[in-house]
Amino acid sequence: MKRRHFIGASATALATGALVAPALAQSQPEVKWRLTSSFPRSLDTIYGTAQTFARYVSEATDGRFQIQTFPAGELVPGLQALDAVSTGSVECAQTATYFYTGKDPALAFGTGVPFGFNSRQQHSWWFFGGGEQIINGVLAKYNVTSMPMGNSGCQMGGFFRKELTGVGDLKGLKFRIGGIGGQVLAKLGVVPQQIVPGDVYAALERGTIDAAEFVGPYDDEKLGLVKVAKYYYYPGWWEGGAMMHLVINDKQWDALPKHYQAIVRNAAEAANNWMLAKYDSVNPPALRRLVQQGVELRPFPASIMEAGHKAAFELYNEIAAVNPAFKQALDSMNAIRADQLVWWQIAEYAYDTFNIRNRGKS
C-alpha cells in the first residue's frame, strides 16, 4: 500500500515539475544586453558602478539576464552614448544627462546644475519632486528612458596654477570645464575649455590652460595635476551632487518582462548607493595624500561664490524664457530647494557642523 502511494506521489511530482519547468523558463528568458559607458575604465568608481549594476542584474536572475559593459571608446565615444542608445545600436548606457544640453538645456537638471541640489536632494527631487517626469519627458523624444545610477557627491573646484583672490582673477582664465557650469563661468570672464581627461595634465603643464576641474580627490589624484598646479579649490559649486544615469532604449525596455524591469530598477538603485558610498570612502584619504604632496587647499573666495550664484540664475532665467522644459525644471528645483534647505539647516547642517567643530575631542 505504501509502495503504491509512493509511486503515485512521485508521478504527480514529476508531472507537476514538467509543467513548472517550462513556465519558469518562459518567465526567466535569456536576455543579453550591451552597456556603453561615457566613462573610461580608469575611473574605477564611476565605471565600476556600471559593472556593479550588471553583476546585480545577473545575480538576481541566476545569470539569465546578462549585461556586458564597455568603457568609453570601445563601442562608441563617451559623449555619443545617448545617441547609440537612441538609435538602438546598444541597448543601454551609463552616462550623465548634462552631457547632452546641446540637445535640450533642460537635461542639465538631470545631473545637476550650479548652485542646485546636493546628492540627497537631487535624489529626492528625481523621485518625489517631478524630476523623473521632466527629464524622461525630454528624453522620450530620443526613444530612451532613464533612471538614476550613481552620484559623485559634491565635487572639487579644481586645480589652479595661480591663487584666486576675487572675481577679477577669473578674467581671461582658461579653465578646463564644460557644460552649463562653463556657461556660468563664461559670464564671469572665464574662457571654458573642453579637454578630455587624458590631455589635461599636458595642457596644464604647458600653460595651454590655467586651471582644470575633474571630479573629486580620488579621481583627481590619478591625473597628477598636483605636480603642475599648486592651488586646489573647493567646493565645486557647479556640481553639488552629480547624478549619473542608466539610459535604456524604449523598445528594449518595453520588451522586458515586468519582473525584469523591476530587477533593473532595483539594481540601478543599489548601484547608485554603491557609487556614493564608495566615493565617501575613498575621497578622504585621497585628499590627505594630495595635501601631503604639497597641494594648497583653498575655499573659493566669497566674492566668486556670490558672483557665480548671481550669474547662474541670470543664465537660468534667460534659458527658461525660451525653453518650456527648462522653465519647468527650474521652477520645480527652486520650489523644492526652498523647502529642503530650511529642513537641511535644522537637521543635517546643524548636526554636521557640531560634529565638525568637535571632531578632535572624541
Side-chain angles (χ1 to χ4, degrees):
M1 192 65 155
K2 289 181 179 178
R3 182 172 178 273
R4 284 198 299 271
H5 176 75
F6 174 77
I7 292 171
S10 298
T12 301
L14 286 170
T16 302
L19 291 172
V20 170
L24 286 174
Q26 290 173 6
S27 65
Q28 292 277 97
E30 288 193 3
V31 177
K32 292 186 178 181
W33 278 8
R34 292 181 303 167
L35 178 153
T36 185
S37 177
S38 288
F39 305 97
R41 196 182 300 275
S42 59
L43 293 182
D44 60 288
T45 301
I46 300 182
Y47 182 68
T49 299
Q51 295 174 308
T52 299
F53 159 74
R55 176 167 55 83
Y56 288 161
V57 170
S58 177
E59 289 173 350
T61 60
D62 292 328
R64 297 187 69 84
F65 190 172
Q66 295 285 336
I67 300 175
Q68 187 176 6
T69 62
F70 296 88
E74 285 197 7
L75 293 181
V76 296
L79 298 184
Q80 293 178 23
L82 177 60
D83 293 327
V85 177
S86 177
T87 60
S89 298
V90 294
E91 290 81 9
C92 62
Q94 177 202 34
T95 191
T97 59
Y98 73 171
F99 290 155
Y100 311 102
T101 53
K103 296 182 183 296
D104 193 312
L107 292 175
F109 288 92
T111 302
V113 297
F115 298 104
F117 296 121
N118 66 21
S119 59
R120 273 181 52 189
Q121 293 163 355
Q122 180 79 11
H123 199 247
S124 176
W125 174 75
W126 180 270
F127 286 107
F128 298 103
E132 181 176 10
Q133 291 75 24
I134 293 169
I135 300 304
N136 279 336
V138 175
L139 289 175
K141 295 183 293 186
Y142 305 100
N143 309 310
V144 303
T145 190
S146 73
M147 59 194 70
M149 196 174 75
N151 198 301
S152 68
C154 188
Q155 298 189 11
M156 290 294 288
F159 290 88
F160 291 72
R161 291 167 61 91
K162 295 181 180 179
E163 184 178 9
L164 301 176
T165 60
V167 179
D169 294 324
L170 299 178
K171 302 295 183 183
L173 185 86
K174 297 186 291 295
F175 188 16
R176 187 266 178 190
I177 183 173
I180 203 164
Q183 291 178 256
V184 172
L185 282 164
K187 281 180 166 286
L188 304 181
V190 169
V191 183
Q193 306 287 308
Q194 293 271 20
I195 302 175
V196 297
D199 295 337
V200 172
Y201 182 93
L204 200 56
E205 183 181 38
R206 292 194 303 264
T208 306
I209 58 175
D210 305 303
E213 64 86 35
F214 192 41
V215 184
Y218 181 70
D219 291 328
D220 291 355
E221 182 184 28
K222 295 177 183 178
L223 295 183
L225 302 185
V226 63
K227 300 173 184 176
V228 291
K230 181 179 181 180
Y231 301 99
Y232 195 32
Y233 278 89
Y234 66 90
W237 44 264
W238 42 87
E239 290 181 298
M243 178 181 280
M244 308 298 154
H245 289 82
L246 174 68
V247 177
I248 305 172
N249 178 273
D250 281 340
K251 288 184 179 179
Q252 296 294 332
W253 177 249
D254 293 341
L256 287 180
K258 293 299 181 185
H259 65 291
Y260 272 19
Q261 290 182 353
I263 286 170
V264 168
R265 287 190 183 279
N266 283 285
E269 183 66 13
N272 185 79
N273 295 332
W274 181 91
M275 178 173 165
L276 190 55
K278 175 75 181 296
Y279 269 129
D280 284 342
S281 174
V282 298
N283 275 329
L287 182 61
R288 286 195 297 270
R289 290 192 298 269
L290 286 169
V291 171
Q292 290 167 359
Q293 292 175 58
V295 76
E296 292 199 20
L297 197 59
R298 300 286 177 88
F300 279 116
S303 61
I304 289 180
M305 296 288 287
E306 293 292 344
H309 187 275
K310 181 174 182 291
F313 284 89
E314 284 178 355
L315 176 66
Y316 302 159
N317 290 327
E318 291 169 7
I319 300 174
V322 297
N323 186 304
F326 191 96
K327 184 179 188 307
Q328 184 184 17
L330 177 63
D331 289 347
S332 173
M333 182 190 78
N334 284 340
I336 291 168
R337 197 176 59 130
D339 279 343
Q340 286 190 344
L341 288 178
V342 172
W343 166 240
W344 210 266
Q345 183 178 3
I346 296 299
E348 260 76 6
Y349 178 79
Y351 178 75
D352 291 344
T353 301
F354 179 85
N355 278 337
I356 290 168
R357 288 200 306 265
N358 288 276
R359 66 182 182 273
K361 298 180 181 178
S362 57

